[in-house]
Every structure is written in C-alpha cells, then in structure tokens.
Amino acid sequence: MKEYNIVITGVGGQGVLTAANILGWAALHAGYKVRLGEVHGMSQRFGSVISYVRFGEDVYGSMVPEGKANVMLSFEPVEALRYVNYLKEGGMVVVNTKPIVPVQVSMGMAKYPSLEEIRKVFEEEFKAKWIGFNAEELAEQAGHVVTTNTVLIGALTQIPEFPLDAEHVREVIKISVPPKAVDMNMKAFDLGIKATKEILGL
Amino acid sequence: MAKVSDIVLWDKPGERVLLLGNQAIARGALEANIAVYAAYPGTPSSELTDTMAIVSKKAGVYMEYSTNEKVAFETALAAAWSGLRAMTAMKHVGLNVAADTFMSAVGMGVEGGFVIMVADDPSMWSSQNEQDTRVYAKFANVPVLEPTSPHEAKEMTKYAFELSEKFKHFVILRTTTRTSHARGDVVLGELPEEIKERKRKFGKFNKDPSRFVDVPANAIKFHPAILEKIEKIREELNNCPFNWIEGKEDAKIGIITPGLNYAYVKEALAWLGIEDVKILKLGTPFPVPYGLLEKFFEGLERVLIVEELEPVVEEQVKTWGFDKKLNIEIKGKELVPRIYEMTTRRAVTAIAKFLGLETPINFEELDKKYEKVKPLLPPRPPSLCPACPHRNSFYAIKKATRAKAIYPSDIGCYTLGLLPPLKTVDTTVAMGASIGIGHGLSIAQNGSLSEEQQGPEKQVVVATIGDSTFYHTGLPALANAIYNRSNVLIVVLDNLVTAMTGDQPNPSTGQTPHGMGKRIPIEDVAKAMGADFVAVVDPYDIKTTYETVKKALEVEGVSVIVSRQVCALHRIGQMRRRGEKWPIYYVNEDKCTGCRICINAYGCPAIYWDEEKKQARVEPTMCWGCGGCAQVCPFGAFEPMKEGEQ
C-alpha cells in the first residue's frame, strides 16, 4: 500500500490527538512508515481541531492534502463539515452525531446546521459515505463519556478496506489507557464496532 | 504505546518508535551527550523543553525552565563557554527576546557545542506573527540546520553539536510547526555512557577577557572573524550528510528544496508522476554550500526553488548564479507563495505551473464546491475553558469599569478574553507588553502623576498579564510604570502555571523539574517595587474581585491586583487522574427567565441556549464546577446537582 490517509476532526479537548496517536502506533507496529500532523497550543482550547494520520510505504509530509483523505473520523458533526474538502471522492466519514454548540451560536451570532443538512453535503456534494451515530451515548454505556474516542476508533476499524487490523488497534489501546480503564475502553471499542456493523449491514 | 519519557531514554539502539518532532530532538540531544539545557516554553517548541524536564534527572542533564528566552540563552551559552554541550529552545518570537545576547555573543563563539533550537510557526497557528528564523541566522551569520522529518530532526541535533564544536560557533536547529508537531517513525541510536549512568557533567570556564568582554576594542575583531568562519562552514556543508542531490542525473529540470519542503516536493512529484527531474535537498538553507550548487546545476536548463516563507535559499542561489554568469532560468517566489505555510497542494501547484501541467486534482473546482459549505459553518474559535478563572477576572473587571476602560493584555490563554462576550482585550503585542503599553496609554491620555499638567478626563487603563508572562518581561515594565508614576491598574491573572504552552511551572508556584525551587509571590514583588495599591483576590469569588477592582481604581498611581486561582484545565486533569469528582451545575427551569446574561455577558462554553424552552442549559460533560454561573445569574437559576444525579 502506497499511502492511506485519515483526517480526524473535532473540538479541542475531545481526544482527537490521542486517537491519532493510537492509530499511528498501530500503523507503526504493522510495519508502515508513519506521519501524524497535529496542532497544539491555543487551538486546543475548545476550538476547531484537525489531525492527520498517514501511513504506507510512501509518506512524507504530515498533512493530508485536500481531496486526498480515504476516511474522516469526526468527533463532532459541524467539525466534520468544516473539513469535508479533505475527503477524496467516494471517501468515508465516521461521525459522532452529538453536537457541541459554540458560544457564538448560543449568543445568536451564528446558526448551527441540522444533522440532515450536514449529511446532505457529504452524500450529495462530495459523494461520500456517511456513518453517523451518537458515540457519546455509547461511551456512557461503556462506563464514561471519556471513552468516546475509543468508540469512534472501534467504528473506524470496521469500514471497508481499512488497512489496520482491529485486534491490532485494540492492543495499542490496551497499553495506552490507565490499567483501571482498560475494561471500560474495551467495552467502548466493541460498542463502536457493533454500531458500524449495524449501519453497514455487516 | 510506552510512555514518551521511557522511549526517549530507551537504551535500545535500532528500535523503531513513533515520536513527535520535538521529542525526537530531545532524544538527539541525549544521544549527543548534552550537559545543560535551559529554555522558556513557547508553542511550537514547548514539548522539547517538557521532554527534557521529564528525562533530565534520569540522564544526568541539568535542565531549567528559565523565566525568559534571553536568560535561558545566557544560561546555556555560559555552559557552552565552560566546555559543555548545551542547548536552548524557543519559538521564533522568543529569538527576538534573546536577540540582544545572540547578536552580540556570536562573535565570542563557544567551547562546547551550542545548539539553539528555534521553532517557527508559518501560518501562525499559535503565534502573533510569521517570522522566518533563517533571516535572523543570515543576519547573525550563524548556520541553520532544517530537518525534513522527526527522524532527521534527531540525527541533525547530533550533527549540530558536532558542527558547533568543530567551528566553535553557534548553530541554529530550525523547525516549523509541521516538524515540531509532526509524529513520525524514528530509529533510536546509541546513548553515551555518561547519559546511561546519569552522570552530571561539569565544565570549566577559562577566563579570556579579550574574548568574553564585548568592549569595542574586542568587538571590532569579531565581525571579520565571524564572516571568515561562516565561509569555512559553507565549505564544510558541501559534505553535510543532510544535503544531497537525487533523481535523474541527466535531467534538464531541477528543484532545490530545503527542510520540510523536501517532503512536500517528493509527494508532489509522486502525485504528478514526474521522474525526469533532479532534486537538491538542502538540510542547510544557510549557508547554502556552493560546491553542491556547482554539481547540481550541471546540465540543467531550468530550476525551481520550493521553500516556505522568505526567499532565503533563492537569494543565495540567484546571487551565486549571477556571479557565475549562469544562463539558467531560476524561479522561486514567482510561483511559490511567500506567506503562510507550505503544503503539498502548494508544492504540486507550483511544480505543475512551472512545468506547464495540470494539477492532479482540480483544486479550483474543489474550492468552489467548498465555498457552498462555508455559509453553513458556525465559527468555532478557541475559547477560555469552562471554569477558567480568567473569565471571572475579565467579567469582574468589565463590570467594575462599566466597559469604559482601555484593556491592554498580553500573550497567554487570556488573550482569548478578546472574543465576545467578554471583549476585555484591546491590545496584545508581545510578552510583557501589556504593562508597557498600559503605562504608555495612561501617559498619553492622562499624563504622569509627576507632571504638572494632567489630561482633561481620566481614562481608566486596566492591563492584564499572566503569572509566567509577568516574570518573563513584565518585571522591567512594572518597575518603569511605578518609577515614572502613571495611573494604571495591572491585574496579574495568576493561575499558578504556564497554561497555554502545556502547564509548565514558573516562579509563581516555585516548582521546578527537580522539586521545589523558591516561590516568588507576585504581590511581594509588587509591594517591594513600590506599587501604590496591592491586593490578592480569588476570581472564583466574583463579588470580592469586582469590589477590589473598584477599590483599586480609586487609588492614584500603579495598582496591582493578583487574581489567583489555579488553571481549571490543570486542576481538572489532576482530579481526573486521582479519580475525584467535582460539582456539576444545572439550570433550574422554574427559575431561569431566559435573560441570557450567563451567555451574553459571561460566555462559559458549557452553557448553551435551549431554543425550544427559551432557557439556558448546562452541558454536564463540559461543566468543571466553578460555580461562576450561579454568581452571575440574577435569578439564582444555576444550582449544583446533588450526588447521584450526575
């Protein structure tokens, strides 16, 4: 495989960087050359964030160019939409449908689009495949809302032609989280897998 | 996924690991047997310093968080003068702070290897300007090494120490956000015995006033010596392992590309499917080695220089080519933007244009499609965290001044007080500038108390500055304001940590990576300097904070209020690790009148508007329990949930 590109989007503080790091290590263990791109500092404070995960035999820069992402993993619907131009035609988006409303919207300075509007852009304008579910709810089922990113990573491993083995990714998560949180995260991971399988009819 | 602190210290040569560019540089410094490291944190350089803080004790390296870049530079420089390998790191604007020492001391050279890591931030992801450190390097005649990947960053760090020692000259290791904050596969090298045995290395300073005392009589000899040195280094860099020529030997088209740009060029060429090209990959954008240029230009008819920001390489190549009377077309900034960061898209577009080809994706069409998406997108700028004590300080300041003051502020998380609804940041320039600008604003509108004439109407000036920034460059400005008797209120937003760059300690907490240093309370400094009013408040108590601001405003002269409450992000992180809980607030629907004060004046990101019920609501996963909302709401609608309700 020459290259595989993932963009991860969300709101600062949601665990976007952690998710990228886990996927990066899984790709490294699978023997690929790896590049991750991320933004630190001020942008992390509840602002819009995007991280890049690239692996394969032939990767150089840490940023995925527009129109080149095989898949997008998004922690928040509007933050998926903000970076829709990174997806390649026929790409796939796995999105947590639970919105985080920006202060500007609460103040009445801007409007938050409906989930249907967002989905329409992906499917109609950008010809992407949409896998959306409330990952936060599943994370709560698993034990705590902090496992939302584990739910989403689990979901990601089930999309067609995803090059990393789910069990492989699971092992990285196991050694990345605090020991007492392992069971909860494994449950979250499985719930993510289940949700995607149901949506894809697998 | 082992802990980074372990990986950086792993005695496993040949092991392939995933490291952040900055962490890879820390490993490189250890592999180079570094003895002393001193820095002030600044994004995107901070993780290098943080990594050194974590590993230094176990590696026998002296490490300090200095109070600013200039003193960090001096600490490391003196160690290098004493024959030790030493390093300092900073962001691009940090070099401006250190520039006074940097520009003067370069002529004195060093004994042990001295590496200055400077992280530039093209596109200004977390910075107040876009500045190209390579221009500084050229100005000072200091060689620059610029890596293209995390692994190369590690290797280059070792080489930088060797180069510095060989020529007894400063060396700059320059990264950008995309190398410092990129993770990539890194192959670990050997660690020296002294590092493995955690043996602290001590140096010896040999006095030589003709070298180390920069009086004109000595300095006059420095400049020609520097110029001689840099030309020798230019020669040496012909054999630098990070400079090479690759691609088709008899190609007519050439591309010169320094640092990380090389990665984008390689990707762009693969994407375009172009192989008939020769590449000069430059790890040393300054000085460009002429011997290598000579070899590269052989047989070429056209050359494109792909570099980010300033045409540093381009100017050297064009000047060299002009002197050589080369009849070869050289293009650079005509096709490659001079502003913002390089991307593969930019590289592919420039190369396609240079070769008269189409880009592999029709970017214009993609942009047009995206234009239709933009109106749907609500803005989401970064914001002060839930429970951030700064929000309360700003809220109290604004209320006490009835939004009628001028509010100079500074560099840190609190710069976000600029955004609505708080809007209590009117100026931000550089570290420590809030006090200097505040003083100047008061002098301009009101005059000094020591002058005979005063301004016609008293303009209230309230400056805000963080604890770390206060110690960074706020101190001389405070002394200046007190001495020259302006009328300004300075509120030090003391959250007991350098929050924005990742929770580094500073004199306000007194902690150091080695344990406890000595704590310097800000109020003691203000009192000792002779401020006319000094008070300490807890911004979680909004009423008292408000009343104290009111009181301070009645005092003529310089007032200092220390608004002290620990950073919420820091506190919550620690509570989470300890498994502790915090109160979560909710809106009592019977009491909320929908007045929106909590949203339109206070603006906590955990509070949102329920469109159906026309009431405020709290997002429980985002509430960090400060209770500020309960103090701000005139109707008492915010209440903490009872245990078990969460």
Side-chain angles (χ1 to χ4, degrees):
Chain A
M1 189 187 55
K2 218 164 153 324
E3 65 174 49
Y4 194 83
N5 294 318
I6 306 169
V7 293
I8 310 180
T9 73
V11 176
Q14 280 193 297
V16 168
L17 251 61
T18 312
N21 212 356
I22 285 167
L23 292 168
W25 273 97
L28 185 86
H29 288 164
Y32 292 116
K33 201 172 153 186
V34 186
R35 289 283 182 278
L36 311 188
E38 51 202 60
V39 168
H40 297 206
M42 196 189 253
S43 328
Q44 283 175 295
R45 306 282 186 264
F46 296 86
S48 160
V49 291
I50 178 168
S51 266
Y52 311 93
V53 179
R54 323 187 70 187
F55 51 90
E57 285 138 31
D58 208 15
V59 292
Y60 293 96
S62 64
M63 288 181 292
V64 175
E66 292 105 304
K68 268 222 146 181
N70 299 75
V71 57
M72 174 190 284
L73 184 66
S74 188
F75 285 55
E76 206 278 345
V78 146
E79 295 316 314
L81 186 63
R82 199 182 302 281
Y83 302 104
V84 60
N85 53 333
Y86 281 86
L87 268 187
K88 72 176 184 192
E89 230 181 83
M92 216 161 197
V93 57
V94 177
V95 56
N96 172 23
T97 52
K98 169 82 191 290
I100 296 178
V101 180
V103 176
Q104 286 74 9
V105 171
S106 295
M107 289 179 73
M109 294 162 67
K111 200 180 149 277
Y112 194 99
S114 75
L115 203 59
E116 272 321 299
E117 275 178 286
I118 298 173
R119 183 174 178 157
K120 222 171 114 186
V121 172
F122 273 92
E123 290 182 337
E124 289 174 17
E125 295 279 340
F126 285 82
K127 314 283 174 235
K129 288 185 202 88
W130 172 275
I131 299 175
F133 59 92
N134 189 330
E136 203 173 293
E137 225 170 64
L138 296 181
E140 267 164 30
Q141 270 180 41
H144 200 282
V145 49
V146 295
T147 63
T148 304
N149 57 3
T150 311
V151 172
L152 287 168
I153 296 170
L156 181 71
T157 61
Q158 297 309 305
I159 68 159
E161 286 158 43
F162 187 71
L164 299 175
D165 182 59
E167 290 315 301
H168 205 111
V169 177
R170 185 196 292 276
E171 289 310 307
V172 176
I173 296 174
K174 247 187 212 169
I175 52 172
S176 307
V177 299
K180 61 179 180 192
V182 169
D183 290 346
M184 186 167 87
N185 275 282
M186 292 304 104
K187 205 171 158 196
F189 192 74
D190 288 332
L191 285 171
I193 290 178
K194 196 166 155 251
T196 314
K197 280 189 165 166
E198 270 166 24
I199 290 169
L200 291 171
L202 297 172
Chain B
M1 209 165 117
K3 269 172 39 193
V4 169
S5 49
D6 296 336
I7 297 172
V8 172
L9 283 165
W10 266 354
D11 184 19
K12 294 182 183 177
E15 182 87 6
R16 241 175 108 242
V17 295
L18 190 65
L19 286 179
L20 196 66
N22 283 342
Q23 295 160 349
I25 295 170
R27 170 73 186 197
L30 294 187
E31 289 181 15
N33 203 12
I34 186 177
V36 170
Y37 182 96
Y40 179 83
T43 312
S45 78
S46 314
E47 299 78 14
L48 167 53
T49 307
D50 296 345
T51 308
M52 292 305 291
I54 298 166
V55 302
S56 57
K57 213 185 252 177
K58 287 179 188 159
V61 175
Y62 173 78
M63 181 274 161
E64 70 173 39
Y65 284 108
S66 310
T67 48
N68 71 29
E69 294 83 357
K70 183 176 185 283
V71 293
F73 192 103
E74 287 153 5
T75 306
L77 174 63
W81 279 351
S82 306
L84 299 172
R85 286 194 165 182
M87 190 175 196
T88 181
M90 58 203 71
K91 67 185 297 179
H92 57 304
V93 288
L95 187 56
N96 300 332
V97 178
D100 203 4
T101 303
F102 173 59
M103 295 300 290
S104 291
V106 62
M108 302 173 184
V110 289
E111 284 302 303
F114 180 46
V115 179
I116 306 148
M117 184 276 208
V118 188
D120 285 0
D121 190 15
S123 281
M124 296 153 283
W125 294 99
S126 206
S127 302
Q128 61 271 42
N129 76 12
E130 185 171 56
Q131 116 191 0
D132 191 330
T133 291
R134 301 174 309 158
V135 177
Y136 244 124
K138 194 165 165 257
F139 185 23
N141 284 295
V142 167
V144 187
L145 297 168
E146 201 186 338
T148 190
S149 68
H151 178 74
E152 198 177 64
K154 180 190 75 114
E155 294 296 309
M156 259 186 187
T157 307
K158 279 193 280 188
Y159 178 81
F161 278 107
E162 284 157 22
L163 188 70
S164 167
E165 237 158 58
K166 181 166 179 180
F167 290 90
K168 296 191 184 298
H169 201 49
F170 296 2
V171 172
I172 289 179
L173 177 73
R174 183 240 187 186
T175 66
T176 61
T177 308
R178 300 298 175 184
T179 22
S180 272
H181 290 168
R183 275 171 224 267
D185 28 341
V186 170
V187 182
L188 300 182
E190 295 270 356
L191 285 178
E193 287 306 315
E194 283 169 307
I195 295 282
K196 281 196 264 186
E197 288 162 13
R198 56 185 296 182
K199 189 172 163 218
R200 170 87 156 80
K201 297 167 281 282
F202 294 94
K204 189 174 185 322
F205 177 70
N206 293 317
K207 289 188 189 186
D208 182 358
S210 71
R211 177 175 171 190
F212 294 118
V213 182
D214 213 349
V215 288
N218 292 331
I220 204 154
K221 296 174 227 147
F222 291 161
H223 204 172
I226 296 169
L227 292 178
E228 200 178 307
K229 240 185 216 180
I230 199 73
E231 289 313 314
K232 277 196 187 137
I233 291 171
R234 194 191 291 277
E235 193 77 19
E236 167 87 8
L237 295 179
N238 281 313
N239 302 315
C240 168
F242 306 103
N243 293 332
W244 67 76
I245 296 167
E246 66 175 55
K248 211 160 161 245
E249 218 169 289
D250 59 352
K252 302 275 179 260
I253 307 280
I255 297 177
I256 300 177
T257 183
L260 183 58
N261 303 280
Y262 168 77
Y264 300 122
V265 165
K266 288 285 278 187
E267 189 175 346
L269 290 172
W271 205 5
L272 286 162
I274 294 168
E275 282 165 8
D276 197 13
V277 63
K278 196 153 77 163
I279 301 173
L280 173 57
K281 184 270 186 195
L282 275 178
T284 60
F286 180 80
V288 172
Y290 293 150
L292 217 52
L293 284 185
E294 193 104 35
K295 231 164 95 188
F296 177 72
F297 271 85
E298 217 166 282
L300 290 179
E301 286 170 4
R302 302 179 68 213
V303 169
L304 175 67
I305 297 163
V306 180
E307 73 184 308
E308 202 174 36
L309 301 184
E310 293 300 299
V312 172
V313 170
E314 186 177 333
E315 281 174 4
Q316 291 174 83
V317 172
K318 281 184 173 167
T319 311
W320 171 85
F322 184 84
D323 289 346
K324 284 257 159 201
K325 300 190 171 48
L326 277 190
N327 192 19
I328 294 175
E329 184 191 2
I330 304 172
K331 289 258 190 274
K333 290 296 157 197
E334 301 94 329
L335 297 172
V336 181
R338 192 170 173 168
I339 50 165
Y340 312 146
E341 70 179 352
M342 179 63 65
T343 59
T344 302
R345 171 176 170 171
R346 282 181 157 199
V348 98
T349 306
I351 294 169
K353 210 163 184 185
F354 182 66
L355 299 175
L357 301 170
E358 295 277 326
T359 53
I361 284 182
N362 189 334
F363 291 116
E364 274 155 34
E365 215 162 83
L366 184 65
D367 289 348
K368 243 186 255 161
K369 228 166 31 167
Y370 187 65
E371 279 303 316
K372 285 194 268 176
V373 176
K374 278 187 186 163
L376 287 176
L377 293 170
R380 194 191 302 272
S383 78
L384 296 173
C385 300
C388 175
H390 303 331
R391 175 177 294 103
N392 294 5
S393 298
F394 282 134
Y395 180 84
I397 290 167
K398 195 172 176 181
K399 212 171 158 201
T401 53
R402 281 174 283 132
K404 289 207 170 81
I406 310 177
Y407 308 102
S409 190
D410 227 298
I411 309 285
C413 294
Y414 47 90
T415 316
L416 295 169
L418 147 90
L419 298 168
L422 294 165
K423 294 206 274 186
T424 31
V425 171
D426 290 324
T427 74
T428 306
V429 186
M431 294 287 286
S434 63
I435 301 179
I437 297 283
H439 167 73
L441 284 169
S442 179
I443 292 291
Q445 330 306 277
N446 305 322
S448 154
L449 296 176
S450 58
E451 281 180 298
E452 279 166 26
Q453 295 179 38
Q454 302 290 308
E457 234 175 283
K458 191 184 160 192
Q459 172 63 58
V460 176
V461 178
V462 184
T464 44
I465 185 167
D467 43 340
S468 188
T469 310
F470 177 80
Y471 282 107
H472 181 282
T473 26
L475 289 173
L478 179 60
N480 185 61
I482 293 170
Y483 163 58
N484 286 304
R485 306 222 68 202
S486 55
N487 206 328
V488 53
L489 166 59
I490 296 154
V491 181
V492 186
L493 305 169
D494 183 8
N495 62 5
L496 300 161
V497 79
T498 315
M500 185 149 117
T501 46
D503 289 5
Q504 293 84 1
N506 67 53
S508 184
T509 48
Q511 273 150 2
T512 76
H514 322 293
M516 242 357 234
K518 194 160 187 173
R519 181 166 177 259
I520 312 174
I522 293 160
E523 57 275 23
D524 290 2
V525 175
K527 275 181 209 150
M529 275 195 187
D532 300 286
F533 174 89
V534 179
V536 181
V537 294
D538 174 1
Y540 278 177
D541 177 353
I542 296 178
K543 190 163 172 268
T544 311
T545 307
Y546 161 82
E547 282 164 0
T548 311
V549 172
K550 277 279 219 205
K551 209 164 131 196
L553 291 175
E554 280 160 23
V555 176
E556 294 252 280
V558 176
S559 304
V560 176
I561 295 176
V562 183
S563 186
R564 180 175 294 138
Q565 178 56 252
V566 69
C567 164
L569 192 63
H570 186 70
R571 177 172 56 85
I572 291 297
Q574 286 182 330
M575 287 177 85
R576 245 185 215 139
R577 273 191 287 280
R578 290 195 296 257
E580 289 171 13
K581 289 206 167 135
W582 52 86
I584 290 174
Y585 284 74
Y586 77 104
V587 173
N588 183 333
E589 292 186 32
D590 299 337
K591 292 188 184 167
C592 178
T593 64
C595 74
R596 283 185 185 246
I597 281 178
C598 55
I599 289 169
N600 289 353
Y602 188 60
C604 172
I607 304 172
Y608 65 94
W609 183 248
D610 184 334
E611 201 51 61
E612 273 167 37
K613 295 234 170 128
K614 304 286 178 208
Q615 284 189 330
R617 289 287 176 272
V618 177
E619 167 57 53
T621 58
M622 283 170 76
C623 175
W624 292 350
C626 72
C629 51
Q631 295 177 55
V632 166
C633 176
F635 306 99
F638 290 90
E639 292 168 9
M641 283 188 206
K642 289 189 190 77
E643 191 77 39
E645 282 181 342
Q646 296 177 18

